[in-house]
């Protein structure tokens, strides 16, 4: 289950996302009292973990 955490050091990157997705992320971040950046980071980490991480992808698994 996905649990929203707080805190982390960040690096600036620019991504283009659909308006509807940004609206959903903004609402979830507001409800969880975290920044949208923090929420996006955690969503990405969760998705990568669910895929088995980069190393599994490199091995073609």
């Amino acid at each position: 289950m996905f649990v929203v955490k707080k805190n982390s050091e960040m690096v600036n990157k620019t991504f283009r996302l659909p308006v509807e997705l940004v609206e959903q992320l903004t609402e979830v971040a507001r409800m969880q009292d975290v920044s949208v950046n923090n929420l996006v980071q955690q969503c990405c980490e969760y998705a990568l973990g669910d895929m088995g991480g980069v190393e599994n992808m490199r091995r073609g698994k």
Side-chain angles (χ1 to χ4, degrees):
M1 179 172 164
F2 182 68
V3 177
V4 178
K5 301 177 285 186
K6 296 182 182 181
N7 210 346
S8 233
E9 183 178 346
M10 301 285 180
V11 172
N12 287 330
K13 284 288 188 185
T14 301
F15 296 96
R16 290 180 178 85
L17 301 170
V19 171
E20 185 176 306
L21 178 58
V22 172
E23 290 170 350
Q24 291 175 7
L25 289 166
T26 301
E27 180 66 13
V28 171
R30 185 192 63 75
M31 291 187 308
Q32 295 292 323
D33 194 30
V34 296
S35 70
V36 173
N37 286 333
N38 187 276
L39 179 62
V40 169
Q41 174 196 352
Q42 291 181 64
C43 289
C44 292
E45 289 172 347
Y46 183 83
L48 288 171
D50 194 50
M51 291 172 27
V54 174
E55 288 303 316
N56 281 339
M57 292 191 71
R58 285 185 182 138
R59 290 181 280 209
K61 295 182 179 180

